[in-house]
Amino acid sequence: LKAEAGVAGFYEDGTFDGTGLFLFKNEFGMTARASKYLGMKGTLVVQYPDFSLSVGSLYFDYLLLDKIYISGGKKPVNWGYILLFSDLSLFDFSIQKNWLEETEYVPTNILSDSEDMISLHIQIPVWTGAISGVVLYPIESARDIPSMKDLSFAGSFELTMLSTAVNLFGRRNPVEDNVLSQNTGYNPSVFGIELKRSVIGFDVYGQTVVGIHDVHVMDTPAGYDSIITTAGLYRLWDGKLKIGFNFEYQHEYNPQSTVLHTHRTALLGGLSGFGPRRGMKIGFLWRHKYVVDEGDLSLGLTVSNVLPHANWKVGMEMAYGAPFRPVPKFTLATSVVLVLDY
C-alpha cells in the first residue's frame, strides 16, 4: 500500500499557481506454487484518483525438462541494457515521440508494452546465454479469437563472450490492417544489437535499434523508419554511503522526417545513506534535446521515516528552452508518502 499527499507550486510566464495532490495505490498479490515446475502469480491493483480496479498481472510459469522456462499470461517482460532512455516515467516528454505514436512501445525496450498484452514467453539456455521468444496479443483487440494478424513476435539471442554480453533481438509487429494498427497507425518492425561489459568497475553499454519502413527498399534510406543508437555509462559505489551516476547519449536518424538527426543526453545521479539513521537521499536528473535546445533539470530530497511508516519528499524542476522563453518554468513540490507492506 502506498499513499501520498502534498502540495505543488508552478511559476510560468510571470505568474504563480499552486495545487494539492493525493495519490493512493494498493496492490494485492497472490502466489501459488505446486512444485518447482509450476507456479502462478497475480496482482490486483486499486488506485486513486481515477478509482480504477485492474488486474496488474496474472500469469503462470513452468519449468520444462529442468531447463526450458515457459511463462504465459498478463505480465511485463523487459528486454534491453538501456536504463534511462527506456524509462517512460523519465522520458515521456521527448523520447522518440514519432515512434511511440506509431508503436506504443519504446524502441530501446521493444517489449515495454507487454504489460498491456497477453504474452507467451519461452527461454532456452544455450552455451553461455539463452534464446528467448515472445508472442504478444493485445488485450484490447476487438477479435474474440486471436488471429495471426493481431500477434506480435519477438526474439532474442543473448550470450557472453570475452566478458562482454551481446544481445541480438528483433520484433515483428502485426500487419497494417489489423485492429492494433488501425488504432495506432503504422507499426514498424525492428531489429537491433546491444553490448555491455564492465571496465574497472564501470558498466559500459550500447545499443542500436533499426525500425524497418519498407523491406523492399532497404538498400535506400526509404527502407528505414529510424535508426536509434544509445550509449551509456553507469557506476555505483556501494558502502555506508551509496553514490552513483548514470549517463546516456542517444542519436536518432529519421530518413522519413525533415529533421534527419536528433541528439539527446541524460544524466542521473544520487547519494543515499546519510543524515539521521542514514535515512536521507538526494538526487538529480538532467535531460537535454540538442536540436531544439530544450530540456529540464530536477532535484530531489527524500527523508525516510520522519514519522512511523512515513517518508518526506521535496523536489524542484526547472524546464527551459523555446516553450519557456524568456523565463524557465519552475515547479516546486513537497509531499508525505505512507508505505505499508503486508
Side-chain angles (χ1 to χ4, degrees), residues 75-109:
K75 60 173 289 190
V77 182
N78 292 300
W79 283 0
Y81 302 153
I82 305 305
L83 300 174
L84 298 179
F85 281 108
S86 285
D87 189 341
L88 277 183
S89 68
L90 300 180
F91 288 94
D92 56 0
F93 89 117
S94 65
I95 179 174
Q96 305 102 8
K97 274 203 169 183
N98 292 334
W99 189 302
L100 287 171
E101 291 170 356
E102 294 170 350
T103 65
E104 296 191 339
Y105 65 86
V106 186
T108 48
N109 176 9

PDB file of all heavy atoms in Angstrom, residues 75-109:
ATOM      1  N   LYS A  75       1.711 -10.092 -17.970  1.00  0.00           N
ATOM      2  CA  LYS A  75       2.876  -9.769 -17.153  1.00  0.00           C
ATOM      3  C   LYS A  75       3.812  -8.884 -17.957  1.00  0.00           C
ATOM      4  O   LYS A  75       3.858  -8.962 -19.194  1.00  0.00           O
ATOM      5  CB  LYS A  75       3.624 -11.035 -16.728  1.00  0.00           C
ATOM      6  CG  LYS A  75       4.140 -11.865 -17.885  1.00  0.00           C
ATOM      7  CD  LYS A  75       5.013 -13.025 -17.433  1.00  0.00           C
ATOM      8  CE  LYS A  75       6.339 -12.551 -16.908  1.00  0.00           C
ATOM      9  NZ  LYS A  75       7.286 -13.672 -16.676  1.00  0.00           N
ATOM     10  N   PRO A  76       4.585  -8.024 -17.283  1.00  0.00           N
ATOM     11  CA  PRO A  76       5.591  -7.232 -18.001  1.00  0.00           C
ATOM     12  C   PRO A  76       6.824  -8.068 -18.307  1.00  0.00           C
ATOM     13  O   PRO A  76       7.274  -8.863 -17.485  1.00  0.00           O
ATOM     14  CB  PRO A  76       5.912  -6.097 -17.021  1.00  0.00           C
ATOM     15  CG  PRO A  76       5.615  -6.679 -15.674  1.00  0.00           C
ATOM     16  CD  PRO A  76       4.479  -7.646 -15.863  1.00  0.00           C
ATOM     17  N   VAL A  77       7.351  -7.901 -19.521  1.00  0.00           N
ATOM     18  CA  VAL A  77       8.602  -8.530 -19.929  1.00  0.00           C
ATOM     19  C   VAL A  77       9.529  -7.418 -20.392  1.00  0.00           C
ATOM     20  O   VAL A  77       9.141  -6.598 -21.238  1.00  0.00           O
ATOM     21  CB  VAL A  77       8.395  -9.546 -21.065  1.00  0.00           C
ATOM     22  CG1 VAL A  77       9.718 -10.220 -21.426  1.00  0.00           C
ATOM     23  CG2 VAL A  77       7.355 -10.590 -20.680  1.00  0.00           C
ATOM     24  N   ASN A  78      10.729  -7.350 -19.828  1.00  0.00           N
ATOM     25  CA  ASN A  78      11.656  -6.272 -20.159  1.00  0.00           C
ATOM     26  C   ASN A  78      12.907  -6.823 -20.825  1.00  0.00           C
ATOM     27  O   ASN A  78      13.513  -7.768 -20.331  1.00  0.00           O
ATOM     28  CB  ASN A  78      12.051  -5.503 -18.884  1.00  0.00           C
ATOM     29  CG  ASN A  78      10.893  -4.724 -18.303  1.00  0.00           C
ATOM     30  OD1 ASN A  78      10.341  -3.856 -18.951  1.00  0.00           O
ATOM     31  ND2 ASN A  78      10.510  -5.059 -17.078  1.00  0.00           N
ATOM     32  N   TRP A  79      13.247  -6.240 -21.951  1.00  0.00           N
ATOM     33  CA  TRP A  79      14.491  -6.557 -22.651  1.00  0.00           C
ATOM     34  C   TRP A  79      15.306  -5.274 -22.804  1.00  0.00           C
ATOM     35  O   TRP A  79      14.753  -4.168 -22.869  1.00  0.00           O
ATOM     36  CB  TRP A  79      14.204  -7.120 -24.036  1.00  0.00           C
ATOM     37  CG  TRP A  79      13.762  -8.549 -24.053  1.00  0.00           C
ATOM     38  CD1 TRP A  79      13.593  -9.367 -22.968  1.00  0.00           C
ATOM     39  CD2 TRP A  79      13.413  -9.318 -25.205  1.00  0.00           C
ATOM     40  NE1 TRP A  79      13.167 -10.600 -23.386  1.00  0.00           N
ATOM     41  CE2 TRP A  79      13.046 -10.612 -24.746  1.00  0.00           C
ATOM     42  CE3 TRP A  79      13.375  -9.065 -26.565  1.00  0.00           C
ATOM     43  CZ2 TRP A  79      12.645 -11.631 -25.602  1.00  0.00           C
ATOM     44  CZ3 TRP A  79      12.971 -10.072 -27.430  1.00  0.00           C
ATOM     45  CH2 TRP A  79      12.620 -11.338 -26.950  1.00  0.00           C
ATOM     46  N   GLY A  80      16.605  -5.432 -22.870  1.00  0.00           N
ATOM     47  CA  GLY A  80      17.447  -4.291 -23.198  1.00  0.00           C
ATOM     48  C   GLY A  80      18.344  -3.861 -22.061  1.00  0.00           C
ATOM     49  O   GLY A  80      17.993  -3.968 -20.885  1.00  0.00           O
ATOM     50  N   TYR A  81      19.517  -3.355 -22.417  1.00  0.00           N
ATOM     51  CA  TYR A  81      20.505  -2.881 -21.452  1.00  0.00           C
ATOM     52  C   TYR A  81      20.354  -1.396 -21.151  1.00  0.00           C
ATOM     53  O   TYR A  81      20.953  -0.889 -20.204  1.00  0.00           O
ATOM     54  CB  TYR A  81      21.927  -3.121 -21.979  1.00  0.00           C
ATOM     55  CG  TYR A  81      22.249  -4.564 -22.290  1.00  0.00           C
ATOM     56  CD1 TYR A  81      23.196  -4.898 -23.250  1.00  0.00           C
ATOM     57  CD2 TYR A  81      21.620  -5.611 -21.616  1.00  0.00           C
ATOM     58  CE1 TYR A  81      23.508  -6.216 -23.533  1.00  0.00           C
ATOM     59  CE2 TYR A  81      21.923  -6.928 -21.890  1.00  0.00           C
ATOM     60  CZ  TYR A  81      22.866  -7.223 -22.866  1.00  0.00           C
ATOM     61  OH  TYR A  81      23.173  -8.524 -23.134  1.00  0.00           O
ATOM     62  N   ILE A  82      19.593  -0.666 -21.983  1.00  0.00           N
ATOM     63  CA  ILE A  82      19.468   0.775 -21.803  1.00  0.00           C
ATOM     64  C   ILE A  82      18.652   1.058 -20.548  1.00  0.00           C
ATOM     65  O   ILE A  82      17.612   0.452 -20.320  1.00  0.00           O
ATOM     66  CB  ILE A  82      18.811   1.421 -23.031  1.00  0.00           C
ATOM     67  CG1 ILE A  82      19.588   1.050 -24.304  1.00  0.00           C
ATOM     68  CG2 ILE A  82      18.757   2.933 -22.883  1.00  0.00           C
ATOM     69  CD1 ILE A  82      21.072   1.389 -24.251  1.00  0.00           C
ATOM     70  N   LEU A  83      19.120   1.995 -19.729  1.00  0.00           N
ATOM     71  CA  LEU A  83      18.492   2.281 -18.445  1.00  0.00           C
ATOM     72  C   LEU A  83      17.616   3.521 -18.486  1.00  0.00           C
ATOM     73  O   LEU A  83      16.412   3.461 -18.250  1.00  0.00           O
ATOM     74  CB  LEU A  83      19.568   2.431 -17.367  1.00  0.00           C
ATOM     75  CG  LEU A  83      20.468   1.204 -17.149  1.00  0.00           C
ATOM     76  CD1 LEU A  83      21.587   1.527 -16.164  1.00  0.00           C
ATOM     77  CD2 LEU A  83      19.651   0.011 -16.670  1.00  0.00           C
ATOM     78  N   LEU A  84      18.184   4.674 -18.796  1.00  0.00           N
ATOM     79  CA  LEU A  84      17.438   5.923 -18.710  1.00  0.00           C
ATOM     80  C   LEU A  84      16.464   6.097 -19.864  1.00  0.00           C
ATOM     81  O   LEU A  84      15.286   6.408 -19.658  1.00  0.00           O
ATOM     82  CB  LEU A  84      18.401   7.109 -18.659  1.00  0.00           C
ATOM     83  CG  LEU A  84      19.347   7.145 -17.452  1.00  0.00           C
ATOM     84  CD1 LEU A  84      20.254   8.369 -17.541  1.00  0.00           C
ATOM     85  CD2 LEU A  84      18.567   7.153 -16.149  1.00  0.00           C
ATOM     86  N   PHE A  85      16.909   5.913 -21.089  1.00  0.00           N
ATOM     87  CA  PHE A  85      16.055   6.150 -22.240  1.00  0.00           C
ATOM     88  C   PHE A  85      15.060   5.024 -22.476  1.00  0.00           C
ATOM     89  O   PHE A  85      14.381   4.992 -23.507  1.00  0.00           O
ATOM     90  CB  PHE A  85      16.897   6.384 -23.494  1.00  0.00           C
ATOM     91  CG  PHE A  85      17.464   7.767 -23.572  1.00  0.00           C
ATOM     92  CD1 PHE A  85      18.814   7.989 -23.364  1.00  0.00           C
ATOM     93  CD2 PHE A  85      16.653   8.850 -23.844  1.00  0.00           C
ATOM     94  CE1 PHE A  85      19.349   9.265 -23.427  1.00  0.00           C
ATOM     95  CE2 PHE A  85      17.174  10.132 -23.911  1.00  0.00           C
ATOM     96  CZ  PHE A  85      18.525  10.339 -23.707  1.00  0.00           C
ATOM     97  N   SER A  86      14.964   4.076 -21.550  1.00  0.00           N
ATOM     98  CA  SER A  86      13.915   3.058 -21.608  1.00  0.00           C
ATOM     99  C   SER A  86      12.830   3.310 -20.582  1.00  0.00           C
ATOM    100  O   SER A  86      11.863   2.551 -20.516  1.00  0.00           O
ATOM    101  CB  SER A  86      14.506   1.658 -21.369  1.00  0.00           C
ATOM    102  OG  SER A  86      15.204   1.213 -22.499  1.00  0.00           O
ATOM    103  N   ASP A  87      12.962   4.345 -19.773  1.00  0.00           N
ATOM    104  CA  ASP A  87      12.033   4.609 -18.685  1.00  0.00           C
ATOM    105  C   ASP A  87      11.091   5.742 -19.084  1.00  0.00           C
ATOM    106  O   ASP A  87      11.469   6.913 -19.070  1.00  0.00           O
ATOM    107  CB  ASP A  87      12.797   4.974 -17.415  1.00  0.00           C
ATOM    108  CG  ASP A  87      11.896   5.039 -16.194  1.00  0.00           C
ATOM    109  OD1 ASP A  87      10.679   5.164 -16.370  1.00  0.00           O
ATOM    110  OD2 ASP A  87      12.428   4.955 -15.074  1.00  0.00           O
ATOM    111  N   LEU A  88       9.856   5.395 -19.459  1.00  0.00           N
ATOM    112  CA  LEU A  88       8.921   6.425 -19.906  1.00  0.00           C
ATOM    113  C   LEU A  88       8.528   7.380 -18.797  1.00  0.00           C
ATOM    114  O   LEU A  88       8.129   8.504 -19.053  1.00  0.00           O
ATOM    115  CB  LEU A  88       7.671   5.767 -20.487  1.00  0.00           C
ATOM    116  CG  LEU A  88       7.786   5.315 -21.935  1.00  0.00           C
ATOM    117  CD1 LEU A  88       6.460   4.758 -22.415  1.00  0.00           C
ATOM    118  CD2 LEU A  88       8.217   6.449 -22.838  1.00  0.00           C
ATOM    119  N   SER A  89       8.633   6.941 -17.537  1.00  0.00           N
ATOM    120  CA  SER A  89       8.321   7.855 -16.449  1.00  0.00           C
ATOM    121  C   SER A  89       9.323   8.991 -16.387  1.00  0.00           C
ATOM    122  O   SER A  89       9.043  10.060 -15.855  1.00  0.00           O
ATOM    123  CB  SER A  89       8.306   7.106 -15.108  1.00  0.00           C
ATOM    124  OG  SER A  89       9.606   6.662 -14.755  1.00  0.00           O
ATOM    125  N   LEU A  90      10.510   8.786 -16.965  1.00  0.00           N
ATOM    126  CA  LEU A  90      11.509   9.844 -17.018  1.00  0.00           C
ATOM    127  C   LEU A  90      11.483  10.585 -18.348  1.00  0.00           C
ATOM    128  O   LEU A  90      11.804  11.764 -18.409  1.00  0.00           O
ATOM    129  CB  LEU A  90      12.916   9.265 -16.810  1.00  0.00           C
ATOM    130  CG  LEU A  90      13.190   8.542 -15.494  1.00  0.00           C
ATOM    131  CD1 LEU A  90      14.630   8.028 -15.475  1.00  0.00           C
ATOM    132  CD2 LEU A  90      12.946   9.446 -14.311  1.00  0.00           C
ATOM    133  N   PHE A  91      11.087   9.910 -19.420  1.00  0.00           N
ATOM    134  CA  PHE A  91      11.308  10.475 -20.744  1.00  0.00           C
ATOM    135  C   PHE A  91      10.072  10.538 -21.622  1.00  0.00           C
ATOM    136  O   PHE A  91      10.169  10.632 -22.824  1.00  0.00           O
ATOM    137  CB  PHE A  91      12.414   9.709 -21.460  1.00  0.00           C
ATOM    138  CG  PHE A  91      13.756   9.994 -20.882  1.00  0.00           C
ATOM    139  CD1 PHE A  91      14.283   9.174 -19.909  1.00  0.00           C
ATOM    140  CD2 PHE A  91      14.468  11.116 -21.245  1.00  0.00           C
ATOM    141  CE1 PHE A  91      15.498   9.458 -19.331  1.00  0.00           C
ATOM    142  CE2 PHE A  91      15.685  11.406 -20.669  1.00  0.00           C
ATOM    143  CZ  PHE A  91      16.206  10.572 -19.707  1.00  0.00           C
ATOM    144  N   ASP A  92       8.876  10.508 -21.034  1.00  0.00           N
ATOM    145  CA  ASP A  92       7.691  10.568 -21.864  1.00  0.00           C
ATOM    146  C   ASP A  92       7.526  11.917 -22.543  1.00  0.00           C
ATOM    147  O   ASP A  92       6.734  12.056 -23.466  1.00  0.00           O
ATOM    148  CB  ASP A  92       6.437  10.235 -21.056  1.00  0.00           C
ATOM    149  CG  ASP A  92       6.281  11.126 -19.837  1.00  0.00           C
ATOM    150  OD1 ASP A  92       7.148  11.981 -19.631  1.00  0.00           O
ATOM    151  OD2 ASP A  92       5.294  10.960 -19.107  1.00  0.00           O
ATOM    152  N   PHE A  93       8.292  12.933 -22.108  1.00  0.00           N
ATOM    153  CA  PHE A  93       8.162  14.243 -22.736  1.00  0.00           C
ATOM    154  C   PHE A  93       8.880  14.311 -24.067  1.00  0.00           C
ATOM    155  O   PHE A  93       8.621  15.184 -24.876  1.00  0.00           O
ATOM    156  CB  PHE A  93       8.706  15.331 -21.802  1.00  0.00           C
ATOM    157  CG  PHE A  93      10.181  15.608 -21.959  1.00  0.00           C
ATOM    158  CD1 PHE A  93      10.623  16.850 -22.377  1.00  0.00           C
ATOM    159  CD2 PHE A  93      11.109  14.637 -21.705  1.00  0.00           C
ATOM    160  CE1 PHE A  93      11.971  17.106 -22.523  1.00  0.00           C
ATOM    161  CE2 PHE A  93      12.459  14.881 -21.849  1.00  0.00           C
ATOM    162  CZ  PHE A  93      12.892  16.129 -22.257  1.00  0.00           C
ATOM    163  N   SER A  94       9.806  13.392 -24.347  1.00  0.00           N
ATOM    164  CA  SER A  94      10.604  13.594 -25.545  1.00  0.00           C
ATOM    165  C   SER A  94      10.984  12.315 -26.269  1.00  0.00           C
ATOM    166  O   SER A  94      11.188  12.335 -27.468  1.00  0.00           O
ATOM    167  CB  SER A  94      11.901  14.322 -25.182  1.00  0.00           C
ATOM    168  OG  SER A  94      12.713  13.508 -24.345  1.00  0.00           O
ATOM    169  N   ILE A  95      11.076  11.209 -25.575  1.00  0.00           N
ATOM    170  CA  ILE A  95      11.743  10.060 -26.177  1.00  0.00           C
ATOM    171  C   ILE A  95      10.985   9.534 -27.389  1.00  0.00           C
ATOM    172  O   ILE A  95       9.859   9.085 -27.280  1.00  0.00           O
ATOM    173  CB  ILE A  95      11.958   8.939 -25.141  1.00  0.00           C
ATOM    174  CG1 ILE A  95      12.646   7.733 -25.796  1.00  0.00           C
ATOM    175  CG2 ILE A  95      10.674   8.507 -24.478  1.00  0.00           C
ATOM    176  CD1 ILE A  95      13.028   6.654 -24.817  1.00  0.00           C
ATOM    177  N   GLN A  96      11.579   9.666 -28.531  1.00  0.00           N
ATOM    178  CA  GLN A  96      11.107   9.102 -29.790  1.00  0.00           C
ATOM    179  C   GLN A  96       9.592   9.204 -29.938  1.00  0.00           C
ATOM    180  O   GLN A  96       8.884   8.212 -30.087  1.00  0.00           O
ATOM    181  CB  GLN A  96      11.553   7.629 -29.897  1.00  0.00           C
ATOM    182  CG  GLN A  96      13.035   7.431 -29.734  1.00  0.00           C
ATOM    183  CD  GLN A  96      13.407   6.923 -28.351  1.00  0.00           C
ATOM    184  OE1 GLN A  96      12.561   6.590 -27.565  1.00  0.00           O
ATOM    185  NE2 GLN A  96      14.675   6.866 -28.073  1.00  0.00           N
ATOM    186  N   LYS A  97       9.065  10.426 -29.884  1.00  0.00           N
ATOM    187  CA  LYS A  97       7.612  10.587 -29.881  1.00  0.00           C
ATOM    188  C   LYS A  97       6.968  10.014 -31.138  1.00  0.00           C
ATOM    189  O   LYS A  97       5.885   9.441 -31.086  1.00  0.00           O
ATOM    190  CB  LYS A  97       7.242  12.055 -29.718  1.00  0.00           C
ATOM    191  CG  LYS A  97       7.176  12.510 -28.259  1.00  0.00           C
ATOM    192  CD  LYS A  97       6.307  13.727 -28.110  1.00  0.00           C
ATOM    193  CE  LYS A  97       6.032  14.015 -26.639  1.00  0.00           C
ATOM    194  NZ  LYS A  97       5.139  15.161 -26.456  1.00  0.00           N
ATOM    195  N   ASN A  98       7.613  10.191 -32.294  1.00  0.00           N
ATOM    196  CA  ASN A  98       7.036   9.641 -33.510  1.00  0.00           C
ATOM    197  C   ASN A  98       6.899   8.134 -33.396  1.00  0.00           C
ATOM    198  O   ASN A  98       5.898   7.544 -33.784  1.00  0.00           O
ATOM    199  CB  ASN A  98       7.902  10.006 -34.720  1.00  0.00           C
ATOM    200  CG  ASN A  98       7.863  11.490 -35.010  1.00  0.00           C
ATOM    201  OD1 ASN A  98       6.889  12.153 -34.668  1.00  0.00           O
ATOM    202  ND2 ASN A  98       8.909  12.011 -35.623  1.00  0.00           N
ATOM    203  N   TRP A  99       7.916   7.498 -32.850  1.00  0.00           N
ATOM    204  CA  TRP A  99       7.905   6.054 -32.698  1.00  0.00           C
ATOM    205  C   TRP A  99       6.796   5.633 -31.738  1.00  0.00           C
ATOM    206  O   TRP A  99       6.032   4.707 -32.006  1.00  0.00           O
ATOM    207  CB  TRP A  99       9.257   5.592 -32.172  1.00  0.00           C
ATOM    208  CG  TRP A  99       9.460   4.103 -32.164  1.00  0.00           C
ATOM    209  CD1 TRP A  99       8.699   3.169 -31.529  1.00  0.00           C
ATOM    210  CD2 TRP A  99      10.473   3.376 -32.838  1.00  0.00           C
ATOM    211  NE1 TRP A  99       9.180   1.914 -31.743  1.00  0.00           N
ATOM    212  CE2 TRP A  99      10.279   2.008 -32.549  1.00  0.00           C
ATOM    213  CE3 TRP A  99      11.551   3.752 -33.646  1.00  0.00           C
ATOM    214  CZ2 TRP A  99      11.122   1.017 -33.039  1.00  0.00           C
ATOM    215  CZ3 TRP A  99      12.372   2.763 -34.124  1.00  0.00           C
ATOM    216  CH2 TRP A  99      12.161   1.408 -33.838  1.00  0.00           C
ATOM    217  N   LEU A 100       6.670   6.315 -30.629  1.00  0.00           N
ATOM    218  CA  LEU A 100       5.660   5.951 -29.635  1.00  0.00           C
ATOM    219  C   LEU A 100       4.252   6.117 -30.189  1.00  0.00           C
ATOM    220  O   LEU A 100       3.360   5.315 -29.909  1.00  0.00           O
ATOM    221  CB  LEU A 100       5.826   6.800 -28.380  1.00  0.00           C
ATOM    222  CG  LEU A 100       7.018   6.455 -27.511  1.00  0.00           C
ATOM    223  CD1 LEU A 100       7.179   7.512 -26.428  1.00  0.00           C
ATOM    224  CD2 LEU A 100       6.827   5.094 -26.879  1.00  0.00           C
ATOM    225  N   GLU A 101       4.021   7.155 -30.989  1.00  0.00           N
ATOM    226  CA  GLU A 101       2.702   7.354 -31.567  1.00  0.00           C
ATOM    227  C   GLU A 101       2.342   6.233 -32.524  1.00  0.00           C
ATOM    228  O   GLU A 101       1.165   5.912 -32.720  1.00  0.00           O
ATOM    229  CB  GLU A 101       2.650   8.707 -32.290  1.00  0.00           C
ATOM    230  CG  GLU A 101       2.708   9.904 -31.333  1.00  0.00           C
ATOM    231  CD  GLU A 101       2.903  11.207 -32.070  1.00  0.00           C
ATOM    232  OE1 GLU A 101       3.072  11.162 -33.309  1.00  0.00           O
ATOM    233  OE2 GLU A 101       2.900  12.271 -31.427  1.00  0.00           O
ATOM    234  N   GLU A 102       3.353   5.582 -33.115  1.00  0.00           N
ATOM    235  CA  GLU A 102       3.083   4.557 -34.105  1.00  0.00           C
ATOM    236  C   GLU A 102       3.119   3.145 -33.518  1.00  0.00           C
ATOM    237  O   GLU A 102       2.499   2.234 -34.058  1.00  0.00           O
ATOM    238  CB  GLU A 102       4.124   4.646 -35.234  1.00  0.00           C
ATOM    239  CG  GLU A 102       4.005   5.949 -36.032  1.00  0.00           C
ATOM    240  CD  GLU A 102       5.168   6.146 -36.980  1.00  0.00           C
ATOM    241  OE1 GLU A 102       6.148   5.381 -36.874  1.00  0.00           O
ATOM    242  OE2 GLU A 102       5.088   7.044 -37.824  1.00  0.00           O
ATOM    243  N   THR A 103       3.837   2.941 -32.424  1.00  0.00           N
ATOM    244  CA  THR A 103       4.055   1.583 -31.955  1.00  0.00           C
ATOM    245  C   THR A 103       3.554   1.305 -30.549  1.00  0.00           C
ATOM    246  O   THR A 103       3.278   0.169 -30.204  1.00  0.00           O
ATOM    247  CB  THR A 103       5.560   1.249 -31.959  1.00  0.00           C
ATOM    248  OG1 THR A 103       6.221   2.094 -31.007  1.00  0.00           O
ATOM    249  CG2 THR A 103       6.162   1.443 -33.332  1.00  0.00           C
ATOM    250  N   GLU A 104       3.488   2.339 -29.696  1.00  0.00           N
ATOM    251  CA  GLU A 104       3.113   2.201 -28.298  1.00  0.00           C
ATOM    252  C   GLU A 104       4.154   1.443 -27.475  1.00  0.00           C
ATOM    253  O   GLU A 104       3.861   0.992 -26.379  1.00  0.00           O
ATOM    254  CB  GLU A 104       1.732   1.547 -28.158  1.00  0.00           C
ATOM    255  CG  GLU A 104       0.610   2.382 -28.755  1.00  0.00           C
ATOM    256  CD  GLU A 104      -0.763   1.888 -28.387  1.00  0.00           C
ATOM    257  OE1 GLU A 104      -0.888   0.715 -28.010  1.00  0.00           O
ATOM    258  OE2 GLU A 104      -1.714   2.681 -28.474  1.00  0.00           O
ATOM    259  N   TYR A 105       5.345   1.260 -27.992  1.00  0.00           N
ATOM    260  CA  TYR A 105       6.431   0.728 -27.181  1.00  0.00           C
ATOM    261  C   TYR A 105       7.699   1.529 -27.447  1.00  0.00           C
ATOM    262  O   TYR A 105       7.841   2.195 -28.469  1.00  0.00           O
ATOM    263  CB  TYR A 105       6.661  -0.760 -27.434  1.00  0.00           C
ATOM    264  CG  TYR A 105       7.140  -1.122 -28.827  1.00  0.00           C
ATOM    265  CD1 TYR A 105       8.487  -1.103 -29.155  1.00  0.00           C
ATOM    266  CD2 TYR A 105       6.241  -1.520 -29.813  1.00  0.00           C
ATOM    267  CE1 TYR A 105       8.925  -1.451 -30.414  1.00  0.00           C
ATOM    268  CE2 TYR A 105       6.664  -1.872 -31.071  1.00  0.00           C
ATOM    269  CZ  TYR A 105       8.008  -1.832 -31.376  1.00  0.00           C
ATOM    270  OH  TYR A 105       8.448  -2.176 -32.637  1.00  0.00           O
ATOM    271  N   VAL A 106       8.624   1.461 -26.498  1.00  0.00           N
ATOM    272  CA  VAL A 106       9.860   2.225 -26.580  1.00  0.00           C
ATOM    273  C   VAL A 106      10.876   1.420 -27.389  1.00  0.00           C
ATOM    274  O   VAL A 106      11.080   0.241 -27.119  1.00  0.00           O
ATOM    275  CB  VAL A 106      10.424   2.501 -25.172  1.00  0.00           C
ATOM    276  CG1 VAL A 106      11.628   3.423 -25.250  1.00  0.00           C
ATOM    277  CG2 VAL A 106       9.356   3.108 -24.295  1.00  0.00           C
ATOM    278  N   PRO A 107      11.538   2.005 -28.386  1.00  0.00           N
ATOM    279  CA  PRO A 107      12.457   1.227 -29.209  1.00  0.00           C
ATOM    280  C   PRO A 107      13.640   0.656 -28.443  1.00  0.00           C
ATOM    281  O   PRO A 107      14.193  -0.365 -28.838  1.00  0.00           O
ATOM    282  CB  PRO A 107      12.921   2.234 -30.275  1.00  0.00           C
ATOM    283  CG  PRO A 107      12.609   3.571 -29.698  1.00  0.00           C
ATOM    284  CD  PRO A 107      11.402   3.390 -28.851  1.00  0.00           C
ATOM    285  N   THR A 108      14.039   1.301 -27.339  1.00  0.00           N
ATOM    286  CA  THR A 108      15.152   0.765 -26.561  1.00  0.00           C
ATOM    287  C   THR A 108      14.735  -0.406 -25.676  1.00  0.00           C
ATOM    288  O   THR A 108      15.576  -1.067 -25.073  1.00  0.00           O
ATOM    289  CB  THR A 108      15.746   1.873 -25.675  1.00  0.00           C
ATOM    290  OG1 THR A 108      14.675   2.552 -24.998  1.00  0.00           O
ATOM    291  CG2 THR A 108      16.526   2.869 -26.515  1.00  0.00           C
ATOM    292  N   ASN A 109      13.436  -0.645 -25.551  1.00  0.00           N
ATOM    293  CA  ASN A 109      12.904  -1.813 -24.838  1.00  0.00           C
ATOM    294  C   ASN A 109      11.681  -2.270 -25.627  1.00  0.00           C
ATOM    295  O   ASN A 109      10.560  -1.846 -25.371  1.00  0.00           O
ATOM    296  CB  ASN A 109      12.534  -1.464 -23.398  1.00  0.00           C
ATOM    297  CG  ASN A 109      11.882  -2.625 -22.658  1.00  0.00           C
ATOM    298  OD1 ASN A 109      11.848  -3.747 -23.146  1.00  0.00           O
ATOM    299  ND2 ASN A 109      11.352  -2.356 -21.483  1.00  0.00           N
TER     300      ASN A 109
END
